[in-house]
């Protein structure tokens, strides 16, 4: 177990700069997620930590020691690949014990550890099978077992759930998190799935185009996105330009087109700074549509439903307010609104956040 | 009668028929003729008498000349196969693992020699290994030797020629099985603590064995049946079993003996193929991959 620190790390492939100067810290024992769209450099960072890729610049520290020049096989890391990379010609027991034989563990102890690892991933009794005889989810657990059995200093997971189907994915998400919790290993998890990141992480590092956009706890990143990119990447958001009308002791009052004046807690304006203009982030799931007149004491306006995307228990509405199209994700209570319906659009100021205009 | 039994699926039979017909017409029937011919009696040059006698087979089993030719062919085939496997693995590994964008060019280079006649490619070794050849020229110029080294027309030059001609088959077979290995397996082994060499030995090498085995079998059988290369590059005593057949049929015009020897070679090489796929079984190896 160890703290991982990347200092001014960069990576170029020829003329392409896959990772720009970044400082990142993965705290000891924490579960940190690298989140970002495809091609933003998440795997590259993971591969640099594991030693499979050499940084172009900067330092990698594990447990305070610079390891740039330590070869892969001496780093003591557990890496789980996106496609699991189990050895097809070896049994499950041999797969899991693979790393043990380079650590001088004798046969009997190794067998014991294999059994324990299989218990941890809740798949006892498959020692003698071959990887091809297991399902995707089971292979994923074996890959996990193979990585944790060597008691790595750091566990690196590269989209380990992306090859699984939706149901199994949610199940494995809980499982994975609980395994990590039990063994308490510093974990770096890579994903482009925001709900995975929000559900599992102690800390999320949002990346875009090889740069770190924001670092924070899930609630922080979700509630207070530091940039338009982050606001849009973590769920659908409506973003409108607003003027700052006034500031109180710990409040900010904004003038929002169509909705009028709203007052936010200063907590929700940390990314606004001293700016006089900003961007208001309204989460699609925090914008409520209501029948008839606006309820008393709420901030609301009138709009027309332009399109409905029915999703079972949820519906995504596209609502026109003046010249602007807004998105609203609402639980369906009774019958969903139909296209063309006139509705009230209700905004709860506590659910909004604001960031400076240039971000 | 009511149709109670499940009807037999005829499709496999239909699909196999062309292959059966081809093998029967082109292999089984001609080989039967050859077997029959081996019982005929050679009376004079090119004059055979229809008979059913075992004179030719007796000669084969009693004459040491034939036995030593069989052992020699076996020995040279084994050496050529092993050397080709060792020499072929490196380029195959390189082509499979390179991140070079135009990999097809490398594969094309491998196939390029096939555009030049095999005879010409074989003859070219005379200019390299001969007394006035490139190598001896170099050695003399460097002062490594005063006299040209005798490299041509020996077992050595025959093996060089055979390896040269058959190496592409080996490389292609190994390449194909290396290409099929998941690129993440070696890195996975490395992160688990294996050195580059250990990762290769534990993961890549065993997974490429099917290709190595197929390539080796091919080179072994091709070497065992070759006769042109020893004819061009070998001295008087550097003959393979195939050369005995050539001599019997072309030089001595003794077709019955030639038929006997041909059938023997077929049986020998055929047994190697069968034993090989039975024990080191190609299909056996592929089982490991599910
Ligand atoms: N070996 C390489 N050679 C050249 N370019 C590379 C190499 N590896 C990655 N890249 C490039 O670097 C960028 C970042 O790649 P990376 O694999 O880190 O993305 P990612 O965030 O993991 O994406 P994904 O979610 O699709 O896995 C991409 O533009 C990619 O094309
Ligand atoms: Mg990736």
């Amino acid at each position: 177990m160890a703290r991982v620190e990347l200092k001014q790390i960069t990576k170029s492939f020829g003329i392409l700069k896959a990772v720009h100067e970044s400082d990142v810290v993965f705290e000891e024992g924490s579960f940190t997620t690298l989140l970002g769209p495809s091609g933003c450099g998440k795997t590259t960072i993971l591969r640099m930590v594991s030693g499979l890729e050499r940084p172009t610049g900067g330092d990698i520290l594990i447990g305070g020691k610079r390891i740039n020049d330590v070869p892969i096989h001496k780093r003591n890391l557990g890496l789980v690949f996106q496609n699991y990379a189990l050895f097809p010609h070896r049994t499950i027991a041999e797969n899991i014990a693979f790393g043990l034989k380079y650590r001088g563990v004798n046969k009997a102890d190794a067998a014991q550890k294999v059994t324990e690892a299989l218990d941890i991933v809740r798949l006892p009794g498959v020692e003698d099978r071959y990887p091809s005889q297991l399902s995707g989810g089971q292979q994923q657990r074996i890959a996990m077992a193979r990585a944790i059995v060597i008691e790595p200093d750091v566990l690196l997971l590269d989209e380990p759930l992306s090859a699984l189907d939706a149901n199994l994915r949610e199940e494995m998400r809980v499982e994975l998190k609980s395994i990590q919790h039990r063994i308490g290993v510093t974990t770096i998890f890579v994903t482009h799935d925001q709900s995975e990141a929000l559900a599992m992480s102690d800390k999320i590092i949002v990346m875009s185009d090889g740069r770190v956009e924001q670092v924070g706890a899930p609630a922080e990143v979700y509630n207070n996105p530091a940039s338009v990119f982050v606001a849009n990447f973590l769920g659908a958001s409506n973003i409108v330009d607003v003027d700052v009308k006034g500031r109180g002791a710990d409040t900010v009052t904004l003038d929002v087109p169509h909705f009028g004046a709203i007052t936010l807690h200063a907590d929700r304006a940390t990314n606004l700074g001293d700016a006089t203009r900003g961007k208001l982030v309204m989460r699609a799931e925090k914008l409520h549509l209501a029948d008839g007149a606006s309820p008393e004491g709420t901030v609301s306006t009138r709009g027309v439903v332009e399109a409905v995307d029915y999703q079972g228990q949820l519906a995504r509405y596209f609502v026109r307010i003046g010249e602007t199209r807004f998105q609203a994700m609402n639980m369906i209570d009774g019958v969903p609104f139909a296209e063309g319906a006139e509705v009230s659009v209700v905004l709860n100021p506590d659910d909004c956040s604001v960031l400076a205009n240039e971000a | 009668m009511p149709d109670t039994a499940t009807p037999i699926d005829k499709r496999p039979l239909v699909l196999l028929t062309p292959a059966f017909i081809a093998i029967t017409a082109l292999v089984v029937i001609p080989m039967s003729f050859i077997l029959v011919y081996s019982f005929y009696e050679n009376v004079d040059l090119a004059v055979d008498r229809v008979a059913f006698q075992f004179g030719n087979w007796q000669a084969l089993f009693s004459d040491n000349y034939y036995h030593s030719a069989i052992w020699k062919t076996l020995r040279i085939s084994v050496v050529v196969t092993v050397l080709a496997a060792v020499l072929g693995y490196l380029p195959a590994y390189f082509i499979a693992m390179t991140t070079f964008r135009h990999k097809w060019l490398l594969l094309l280079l491998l196939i390029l020699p096939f555009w030049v006649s095999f005879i010409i490619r074989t003859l070219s070794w005379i200019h390299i290994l001969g007394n006035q050849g490139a190598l001896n020229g170099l050695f003399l110029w460097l002062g490594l030797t005063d006299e040209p080294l005798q490299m041509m027309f020996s077992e050595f030059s025959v093996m060089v020629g055979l390896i040269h001609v058959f190496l592409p088959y080996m490389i292609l077979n190994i390449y194909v099985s290396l290409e099929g290995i998941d690129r993440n397996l070696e890195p996975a082994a490395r992160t688990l603590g294996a050195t580059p060499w250990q990762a290769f030995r534990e993961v890549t090498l065993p997974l490429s064995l099917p290709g190595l085995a197929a390539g080796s079998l091919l080179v072994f059988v091709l070497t065992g049946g070759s006769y042109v290369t020893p004819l061009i590059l070998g001295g008087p005593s550097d003959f393979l079993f195939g050369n005995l057949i050539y001599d019997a049929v072309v030089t001595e015009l003794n077709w019955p003996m030639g038929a006997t020897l041909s059938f023997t070679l077929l049986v020998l090489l055929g047994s190697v193929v069968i034993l090989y796929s039975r024990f080191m079984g190609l299909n056996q190896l592929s089982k490991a991959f599910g």
Side-chain angles (χ1 to χ4, degrees), chain B residues 199-252:
Chain B
F200 170 77
R201 213 187 47 207
E202 298 267 350
V203 177
T204 309
L205 185 62
L207 288 173
S208 65
L209 275 185
L212 195 61
S216 299
L217 183 62
L218 201 60
V219 170
F220 183 89
V221 171
L222 286 170
T223 307
S226 60
Y227 69 97
V228 177
T229 308
L231 216 55
I232 299 175
L233 298 178
S237 62
D238 301 308
F239 49 81
L240 296 182
F241 199 75
N243 296 88
L244 300 187
I245 302 175
Y246 179 85
D247 286 344
V249 175
V250 178
T251 317
E252 299 158 16

Side-chain angles (χ1 to χ4, degrees), chain B residues 72-133:
Chain B
K72 186 173 186 148
T73 305
L74 195 68
R75 180 169 55 81
I76 290 183
S77 300
V78 168
V79 174
V80 166
T81 303
V82 170
L83 288 178
V86 173
L87 292 175
Y89 204 98
L90 282 173
Y93 189 83
F94 176 77
I95 299 173
M97 298 302 158
T98 183
T99 49
F100 179 56
R101 289 243 291 282
H102 307 289
K103 203 180 256 197
W104 62 272
L105 252 173
L106 298 175
L107 289 168
L108 187 73
L109 280 178
L110 210 55
I111 300 169
L112 210 60
F114 290 103
W115 295 356
V116 177
S117 154
F118 145 74
I119 304 282
I120 295 185
R121 273 184 288 148
T122 305
L123 282 170
S124 69
W125 282 105
I126 296 174
H127 298 285
I128 298 170
L129 299 177
N131 284 359
Q132 266 105 52

Side-chain angles (χ1 to χ4, degrees), chain A residues 100 104-116 149:
Chain A
L100 294 175
V105 178
N106 69 38
K107 276 235 162 76
D109 288 350
Q112 176 66 30
K113 280 175 190 277
V114 167
T115 312
E116 281 168 19
V149 78

Side-chain angles (χ1 to χ4, degrees), chain A residues 47 50 52 71-73 76-77 79 81 83 85-90 95 98-99 101-103 130 132 146-147 150, chain B residues 181-196 198-199 201-204 206-207 287-290:
Chain A
R47 289 174 65 88
S50 68
L52 294 170
I72 309 169
H73 60 279
N76 196 37
L77 307 173
L79 179 55
F81 290 80
N83 66 351
L86 298 177
F87 306 124
H89 59 306
R90 298 293 185 83
N95 261 281
F98 193 91
K101 71 177 167 233
Y102 299 111
R103 288 168 172 73
Y130 282 90
S132 60
R146 185 177 68 176
I150 59 173
Chain B
I181 300 176
D182 175 358
R183 286 307 172 82
N184 285 331
L185 294 185
E186 254 189 58
R190 298 276 282 117
T191 58
L192 290 168
T195 62
Q198 285 166 334
R201 213 187 47 207
E202 298 267 350
V203 177
T204 309
L207 288 173
K287 255 187 205 151
F289 312 98

Side-chain angles (χ1 to χ4, degrees), chain A residues 13 16 18 37-44 159 192:
Chain A
F13 295 106
L16 177 99
S38 191
C40 71
K42 310 179 294 285
T43 299
T44 305
E159 309 207 21
H192 58 248

